[in-house]
Amino acid sequence: MPLSDFDRRLVAATQGGLPLVARPYEAVGAMLGVSGELVRERLGQMLDEGLVRRIGAVPNHYRLGFTANGMTVWDVDDAEVDALGERVGALPGVSHCYRRPRHLPDWPYNLFAMLHGRSRAEVERQALAIHCLLGPACRGHDILYSSAILKKTGLRL
């Protein structure tokens, strides 16, 4: 689907993030010479059309003091992984949790949960809580610590 001139201007105005003000859609609308209502309406349509997948906050964990960020990976019984994954995703300290296919024989893990802490010890305590929650359905796990901040951007022209 080709983008209209307005869509291109809207993406250009928001691709670096929404302004950090009380009324961000109105601020974008002011930049574009339209109302904030029109900005919200068109972004909603772009979500419905699949041009935009989601609109959400993208925190910089390092700036928030969370310097130990570890992706925990778990080898969980396939019959229980969905239900257990729901419970893991609801734990405090888990920013996102999802199921992925295994890639045997080298990669047996099918459940991923990102943990954030102010130290590796804090992350390891959180991982222990997950391990206890998973119980006998868990056959193995690991923690892959972040060593760099990866690109965090949305739709770009």
Side-chain angles (χ1 to χ4, degrees):
M1 169 180 287
L3 296 175
S4 69
D5 178 60
F6 177 71
D7 290 344
R8 289 186 171 281
R9 292 188 311 124
L10 180 57
V11 170
T14 58
Q15 66 186 4
L18 291 173
L20 296 175
V21 297
R23 302 182 68 84
Y25 297 112
E26 282 70 18
V28 171
M31 285 188 277
L32 300 175
V34 299
S35 69
E37 178 64 29
L38 181 59
V39 170
R40 279 191 300 278
E41 181 181 305
R42 183 59 192 136
L43 286 173
Q45 291 168 346
M46 293 171 91
L47 283 166
D48 292 341
E49 295 165 0
L51 294 171
V52 174
R53 284 192 318 171
R54 65 187 169 107
I55 297 171
V58 180
N60 182 324
H61 296 95
Y62 289 91
R63 285 182 150 183
L64 296 172
F66 296 100
T67 55
N69 302 293
M71 176 61 77
T72 59
V73 292
W74 306 88
D75 176 7
V76 178
D77 186 312
D78 287 328
E80 300 181 63
V81 67
D82 290 336
L84 289 169
E86 291 283 333
R87 293 178 60 197
V88 170
L91 291 173
V94 176
S95 64
H96 49 286
C97 178
Y98 48 91
R99 183 179 183 177
R100 290 278 176 137
R102 304 171 196 278
H103 293 281
L104 299 174
D106 299 322
W107 189 258
Y109 307 112
N110 61 344
L111 182 66
F112 294 58
M114 189 70 193
L115 301 177
H116 305 279
R118 288 179 167 73
S119 69
R120 285 188 178 211
E122 184 179 345
V123 169
E124 288 165 10
R125 281 193 297 276
Q126 294 174 23
L128 179 60
I130 292 174
H131 191 262
C132 292
L133 185 152
L134 296 174
C138 179
R139 298 182 288 242
H141 74 281
D142 203 349
I143 303 174
L144 312 170
Y145 286 99
S146 300
S147 58
I149 298 175
L150 302 177
K151 181 177 95 174
K152 293 182 174 187
T153 61
L155 177 63
R156 301 233 178 240
L157 291 176

